[in-house]
Amino acid sequence: IVPKLEQKSLCLLGLSNPYFQYSSLKCCSCRFYMHIFFSFCLSPGEIVVNEANFVRKCISAENSQDDLWGKLICTNFKVSFIPQDAPPKQVNVWTVLLNHILCMFLSVNDTKGKKKVLGSNQKLKFNPTELILYCKDLRIIRFCFDEAGPESAKKVCLAIAHYSHPADLQLLFGFEYQGRRYHDYKEKRVNGSTPRGGLQTPVFNCSSDWDREIKRTGASGWRVCSINENYDISPSLPEYIVVPGSLADQDLKHYSLFFADKRVPLWCWNHPNGSALVRMASIIDPLQQKKYEQRIFTAITKSHPQRSDVVRSDLDKYLPNIQDIQNAFVKIRQICVIDPFEESEERWLSSIENSRWLEYVRAFLKHSSEIVYQLDGKNASVILQEEEDRDLNCIVSSLVQLMLDPHYRSLVGFQSLVQKEWVMAGHPFLDRCNHLKRNDKEEVHLNVFDHNRVDLIDFPDTLITLSFVSPCSLVQVSTDFAKNKAIPQGEDQVMYFPPVWDWSQQFSTKDLTLFNNPMYVGKGAACVQNGEVKTFRRTKKTYSSTLRGPSGSLRNGLKGGEDTLTRRGSLVSELKPDFSPVKDESPSERFFRDWFARPLDQQGLLIPLLIPSHVALWKLFFLRWVPEACIPKGGPITAYHKLSQLVDEIETLQSQIRQYKGSSSGSTPLTSPSGPPSNQRRMYFKSSSPHDPPTPPDFLTSSFPFTPMGNLCRRSIHGTPISKFLNGARIWLSTENLTNDTV
């Protein structure tokens, strides 16, 4: 029996500033009661705004047998539910960040049973009996106030509505957090500045980051320009930009007057053959368009070693606009997490197709592949043009660089790509994520990779929290906030906001290992050749798709002997099984046919397969919260689990061999070498011992590391066609829909 904890005992547990309560649980084997301690820690600057006791969190949509009772708490940062009277092994604190809440519905106990939307700064004229939170990460969470006091239920609902969509940007928790950190840690500053740690990801807020990127890509004809320092030219551009070396600063200042929002063309990336990828906004004056476009084109041509032509791609003409993408996402979200199974299962594939989501994904991939052909196949520089240069250009430029440059397939490289092409290029995250609820139509979401699917999901989930429309807005709002918080002038630089890539502020060291891909083959990756451990190092020769890769036994990603299978390229309408030339073949078709016929180069060019059957729904993202789609001990995680254990065992053996050989030839080998410490091992799942069971752990599901428990997406599948089929009904399924991915 655990005695009741007192306030002074909290220091022994290492809990600072806890918010806690006790719950009496009846033991199944005796009549004694145990006091269970629930910790609810507050971050610096976080305060409890309102709370309600005796709230019921709904677990199932059909019955209340598994529902949990507890306390619903709203702070200025998150909404948390602390359960009471739950089995000890199931004790958990459910939390959703306030800026992850898309909208909230309230039910009133009347004959109509209608649900009403509660917005920010609205008055509540009735006592709510039910609260449903629809989240931007696709979760749906429901609470009932059957036994809660009507006033406390009303107050906690109003608090959630107010703090989830505040009227002013400075009311977002990030500002309060940073302001509190400044005053709490002021004495820890060194020489008037705050140490920011050894973050590896460049944030491109200084000229040195851009200089390093120019050197890395070999862009000798380009230079870093500082005409936008203090955002003197354009508030939506970074302070430092890369421009053709032949353009003078004075000319660029003059040209900026004719571009939308004064966004002069931005250099994105350079190919080893000298061709460049550039993005720019539209010229607002049609009469001046040809004149200034020609000057820009000429300068880009001079930056190319071979003075190759410049190709312009108008994305507004060839790709869906931002509103089309938003509409498609709303439809796909409705299908995946809201519509009941009995209404959507029989028309699942047609519903997905009618949403046009996969069609738009395919369109972006296809157009990006065409840009790749221009850069890699024709050695031509490409200008991506969009009216405002802040949405479609971000997508296409990122995809092109992922296909061409293996650096961006590493974890740090991918983060730097998003930082460069989205954050610093001025993508309006605040408007698109709709943190301030300005517009109901704004919200939009999104083995050669160092990171895996879990990391890719955490990116859009984390980018939801970005709260600025441009780097300039961050500086302006931070300066205003520093004044309000009495931070002396000149010290407002301490009010820096840590980049989203500082994952240590969000995840533990062990959780961060989930980001690692055990099968990644990249620069510095270890491999075994002739019985010896060697390191794979990429050379410049394998960088371009015009050269063959290292493996002669692979062709187009297929092992030898499998060439009889048809494997089509993204832009080639007809490809014979032997990859032989087709009649009237265009240069682009020949380029892609040649690429698919070459041995696989995992550190070279990547081209996606874009026939409709190859473009599938990202199930782990869209269905991760759907209980009915969760497969116990199934899905890709089972393979990831085994591969991680195998890689961990190999790395442990490698470490032991290195220790045994010693750091130098003259040193004495260790008699019983051990592997690296557990907290320094790269894999989440450690190598198993002979005594471990061969089956995967019980907590592994197809939704891992996410759990759909307590998320109310749909009603049960009982009585639906799939349940009848599982019970032996004679329902024929098309073999065209039975793929390995589905199984």
Side-chain angles (χ1 to χ4, degrees):
I1 300 176
V2 182
K4 187 173 183 180
L5 297 173
E6 298 180 0
Q7 180 70 34
K8 61 183 180 182
S9 303
L10 301 179
C11 298
L12 301 177
L13 299 176
L15 297 174
S16 60
N17 194 18
Y19 186 89
F20 63 95
Q21 68 171 30
Y22 303 99
S23 176
S24 297
L25 301 184
K26 189 173 182 179
C27 182
C28 298
S29 58
C30 63
R31 296 182 180 179
F32 293 109
Y33 283 80
M34 295 185 296
H35 295 284
I36 304 299
F37 177 79
F38 300 101
S39 65
F40 176 74
C41 295
L42 300 176
S43 301
E46 185 179 7
I47 59 173
V48 175
V49 179
N50 249 305
E51 61 185 51
N53 290 302
F54 307 109
V55 177
R56 178 162 58 91
K57 185 183 187 302
C58 301
I59 302 298
S60 172
E62 296 185 326
N63 58 73
S64 58
Q65 294 179 355
D66 299 325
D67 292 355
L68 297 176
W69 292 85
K71 174 179 288 189
L72 183 63
I73 303 173
C74 175
T75 73
N76 58 341
F77 176 48
K78 60 180 179 284
V79 177
S80 295
F81 177 80
I82 303 178
Q84 298 173 346
D85 299 333
K89 291 185 179 180
Q90 297 181 12
V91 170
N92 197 359
V93 177
W94 273 271
T95 296
V96 57
L97 301 184
L98 287 169
N99 57 5
H100 276 211
I101 297 176
L102 176 63
C103 62
M104 51 189 295
F105 284 83
L106 299 179
S107 296
V108 58
N109 190 15
D110 58 12
T111 56
K112 297 181 180 180
K114 291 185 177 180
K115 292 180 173 60
K116 301 181 180 180
V117 180
L118 180 62
S120 179
N121 299 323
Q122 287 186 350
K123 293 183 178 180
L124 195 55
K125 298 181 180 180
F126 60 90
N127 295 324
T129 59
E130 180 186 56
L131 168 65
I132 303 178
L133 300 178
Y134 288 84
C135 303
K136 297 174 184 177
D137 62 0
L138 307 183
R139 281 186 291 172
I140 303 175
I141 306 173
R142 183 159 68 102
F143 302 98
C144 290
F145 303 111
D146 311 71
E147 304 295 334
E151 284 301 316
S152 62
K154 180 185 294 185
K155 289 180 179 179
V156 75
C157 290
L158 287 172
I160 295 173
H162 175 74
Y163 282 92
S164 60
H165 294 96
D168 186 78
L169 185 62
Q170 293 187 23
L171 297 178
L172 292 172
F173 175 72
F175 289 94
E176 190 66 36
Y177 175 79
Q178 290 304 111
R180 182 66 177 269
R181 277 169 56 94
Y182 167 80
H183 289 290
D184 287 350
Y185 301 110
K186 184 176 181 179
E187 67 278 2
K188 297 182 180 181
R189 288 180 292 145
V190 180
N191 297 327
S193 62
T194 301
R196 303 190 183 187
L199 186 68
Q200 293 181 328
T201 303
V203 294
F204 297 100
N205 61 351
C206 58
S207 60
S208 59
D209 285 346
W210 291 104
D211 276 326
R212 280 190 289 269
E213 188 70 2
I214 289 176
K215 293 177 181 178
R216 189 189 70 83
T217 59
S220 58
W222 299 78
R223 66 180 180 89
V224 179
C225 176
S226 59
I227 61 171
N228 200 41
E229 275 187 335
N230 300 318
Y231 305 98
D232 291 338
I233 300 297
S234 174
S236 62
L237 287 178
E239 289 189 275
Y240 303 95
I241 58 178
V242 177
V243 298
S246 60
L247 280 181
D249 287 358
Q250 198 62 33
D251 292 335
L252 285 169
K253 291 180 181 180
H254 176 67
Y255 296 164
S256 67
L257 301 175
F258 301 95
F259 285 92
D261 200 24
K262 299 184 178 180
R263 291 179 64 92
V264 295
L266 297 175
W267 172 88
C268 301
W269 180 81
N270 242 63
H271 194 284
N273 62 25
S275 58
L277 180 66
V278 184
R279 54 187 291 178
M280 75 175 189
S282 298
I283 294 179
I284 53 180
D285 186 355
L287 299 178
Q288 303 291 337
Q289 180 175 356
K290 186 175 181 180
K291 173 183 176 181
Y292 289 102
E293 280 184 352
Q294 187 59 43
R295 293 183 180 180
I296 296 294
F297 285 16
T298 301
I300 295 176
T301 300
K302 291 180 179 179
S303 300
H304 197 295
Q306 286 81 40
R307 302 295 191 266
S308 296
D309 295 335
V310 177
V311 177
R312 180 179 61 183
S313 177
D314 191 343
L315 302 188
D316 291 321
K317 292 182 179 180
Y318 300 112
L319 293 173
N321 58 42
I322 199 69
Q323 188 61 49
D324 293 334
I325 298 172
Q326 195 267 349
N327 292 335
F329 180 81
V330 169
K331 292 178 182 178
I332 206 76
R333 179 176 58 192
Q334 180 78 21
I335 297 167
C336 292
V337 302
I338 299 178
D339 288 346
F341 264 118
E342 54 265 34
E343 296 179 8
S344 64
E345 183 197 355
E346 292 182 304
R347 53 179 175 84
W348 172 264
L349 294 178
S350 60
S351 299
I352 296 294
E353 181 180 2
N354 292 336
S355 71
R356 306 192 72 179
W357 178 258
L358 297 182
E359 176 188 338
Y360 292 160
V361 170
R362 183 170 176 263
F364 276 98
L365 290 172
K366 181 178 179 180
H367 194 80
S368 300
S369 299
E370 294 171 345
I371 302 301
V372 166
Y373 164 67
Q374 296 291 337
L375 290 164
D376 192 271
K378 297 186 67 176
N379 295 357
S381 295
V382 177
I383 295 179
L384 303 177
Q385 185 169 0
E386 182 192 5
E387 183 176 359
E388 296 183 359
D389 182 33
R390 302 180 72 179
D391 288 300
L392 305 184
N393 275 356
C394 299
I395 301 173
V396 175
S397 63
S398 300
L399 288 173
V400 170
Q401 292 172 73
L402 278 172
M403 294 179 191
L404 285 166
D405 193 340
H407 167 71
Y408 294 125
R409 301 171 209 157
S410 66
L411 179 58
V412 172
F414 184 74
Q415 293 175 172
S416 68
L417 177 65
V418 178
Q419 179 74 22
K420 175 167 65 82
E421 299 298 333
W422 293 78
V423 179
M424 298 309 293
H427 178 70
F429 286 100
L430 178 65
D431 296 336
R432 297 295 179 260
C433 296
N434 208 12
H435 290 317
L436 303 184
K437 205 62 178 181
R438 292 171 173 170
N439 191 339
D440 291 332
K441 297 181 179 181
E442 284 285 3
E443 182 217 352
V444 180
H445 294 286
L446 328 142
N447 296 340
V448 290
F449 286 88
D450 180 22
H451 42 286
N452 59 27
R453 288 182 293 264
V454 174
D455 187 28
L456 293 176
I457 291 176
D458 281 321
F459 272 114
D461 285 352
T462 302
L463 291 177
I464 288 173
T465 64
L466 288 175
S467 305
F468 303 99
V469 295
S470 67
C472 178
S473 68
L474 168 60
V475 174
Q476 292 175 345
V477 178
S478 299
T479 302
D480 295 340
F481 186 78
K483 294 178 181 178
N484 296 336
K485 289 295 180 179
I487 297 178
Q489 187 177 6
E491 295 190 10
D492 54 346
Q493 292 298 322
V494 182
M495 274 290 299
Y496 84 97
F497 283 79
V500 295
W501 320 123
D502 190 358
W503 297 111
S504 61
Q505 296 199 21
Q506 304 180 51
F507 302 102
S508 66
T509 302
K510 179 175 175 58
D511 291 338
L512 286 175
T513 59
L514 275 173
F515 287 5
N516 297 327
N517 179 3
M519 298 301 292
Y520 174 63
V521 177
K523 185 177 181 180
C527 61
V528 178
Q529 293 181 0
N530 299 326
E532 294 188 7
V533 178
K534 296 185 177 181
T535 300
F536 174 85
R537 297 192 181 277
R538 176 179 61 83
T539 63
K540 289 186 176 181
K541 290 184 178 181
T542 62
Y543 187 79
S544 172
S545 68
T546 59
L547 297 175
R548 296 177 178 268
S551 175
S553 62
L554 296 177
R555 175 182 292 181
N556 186 34
L558 299 175
K559 292 183 179 180
E562 295 180 346
D563 288 349
T564 56
L565 298 176
T566 302
R567 188 73 173 262
R568 298 193 174 190
S570 58
L571 301 179
V572 184
S573 59
E574 295 182 6
L575 270 181
K576 296 183 179 180
D578 59 352
F579 300 100
S580 59
V582 296
K583 186 178 180 181
D584 299 328
E585 188 177 45
S586 67
S588 63
E589 290 175 333
R590 188 182 309 113
F591 171 81
F592 290 106
R593 178 180 58 79
D594 290 344
W595 183 86
F596 278 97
R598 290 190 182 97
L600 180 65
D601 179 8
Q602 298 189 17
Q603 283 293 298
L605 172 65
L606 286 184
I607 298 177
L609 292 164
L610 293 179
I611 57 177
S613 61
H614 284 111
V615 182
L617 188 69
W618 190 5
K619 296 182 180 65
L620 186 58
F621 179 82
F622 287 102
L623 301 178
R624 54 182 160 157
W625 308 116
V626 181
E628 293 81 3
C630 182
I631 306 173
K633 297 184 179 181
I637 188 60
T638 55
Y640 176 84
H641 170 249
K642 292 297 183 183
L643 289 171
S644 297
Q645 288 183 319
L646 179 60
V647 170
D648 182 70
E649 184 175 2
I650 293 174
E651 293 178 347
T652 301
L653 291 173
Q654 291 173 352
S655 176
Q656 292 174 348
I657 292 174
R658 286 192 294 269
Q659 292 183 42
Y660 181 80
K661 290 182 176 180
S663 58
S664 64
S665 58
S667 60
T668 304
L670 299 176
T671 56
S672 57
S674 60
S678 178
N679 60 351
Q680 295 180 10
R681 290 156 78 171
R682 199 169 58 91
M683 293 293 105
Y684 183 84
F685 297 105
K686 306 301 186 289
S687 56
S688 58
S689 68
H691 305 289
D692 292 337
T695 57
D698 291 335
F699 62 83
L700 281 188
T701 69
S702 58
S703 298
F704 183 86
F706 309 97
T707 173
M709 180 181 178
N711 185 66
L712 300 176
C713 287
R714 305 170 177 270
R715 295 193 291 271
S716 173
I717 64 171
H718 295 301
T720 64
I722 192 170
S723 65
K724 295 176 183 177
F725 170 75
L726 295 175
N727 290 328
R730 295 182 178 180
I731 299 179
W732 293 96
L733 297 179
S734 171
T735 56
E736 295 178 355
N737 299 331
L738 296 178
T739 63
N740 291 332
D741 186 48
T742 305
V743 176

